[in-house]
Amino acid sequence: MGTSEQTKYLTTVFVVVAWYTCNIGVLLLNKYLLSSTPFKSPVFLTLCHMVACATLGYLLSLSHLTPIKPLKSKRQLWKICLLASIFCVTIVLGNLSLKYIPVSFNQAIGATTPFFTAIFAVLMQGSREAGVTYLTLIP
């Protein structure tokens, strides 16, 4: 492996490990906040997450590491707003669920997402994957 390939590999490993670690940390902290402290507002917690995300995204765009791209049409804006809304509702419901179920069960439910994504892709879009892809989704 050349130096460039090693750098790409190490960067990939670092990013995946950092993402995974942050994901676990956020999940456990959300569970703690919503079930072990007087803080009982999953919607406000989601608002805090979204404001932090928007702020970080804006600061990154100012650094020119991830430049802001102009919208091409109202249709594109509509799609982005729809996706953002669905994402926000997903986060709110995930945070809300942490008040009532253990983290392990929350994660087990989340682990079924690829299976249902594949099923709905076939039903709604008619797109099909290779057979081996569906075999990997069987528990």
Side-chain angles (χ1 to χ4, degrees), residues 21-89:
T21 303
C22 288
N23 192 25
I24 291 170
V26 166
L27 180 67
L28 294 175
L29 183 56
N30 286 348
K31 175 66 175 176
Y32 171 75
L33 285 172
L34 293 169
S35 62
S36 301
T37 69
F39 185 84
K40 301 292 181 200
S41 181
V43 175
F44 182 72
L45 182 59
T46 302
L47 174 67
C48 293
H49 289 176
M50 297 299 161
V51 168
C53 258
T55 303
L56 181 60
Y58 181 70
L59 291 174
L60 281 172
S61 72
L62 291 177
S63 73
H64 300 292
L65 291 173
T66 55
I68 294 176
K69 296 184 179 182
L71 295 173
K72 296 178 182 175
S73 66
K74 287 185 179 183
R75 182 172 169 83
Q76 185 184 35
L77 176 62
W78 164 249
K79 288 179 178 181
I80 291 170
C81 289
L82 180 62
L83 178 63
S85 298
I86 292 169
F87 179 74
C88 187
V89 168

Side-chain angles (χ1 to χ4, degrees), residues 3 5-7 11 24 36 49-50 84 86 99 113 132 137:
T3 306
E5 290 176 2
Q6 285 178 329
T7 302
T11 300
I24 291 170
S36 301
H49 289 176
M50 297 299 161
I86 292 169
K99 286 177 70 172
T113 301
V132 69
L137 299 175

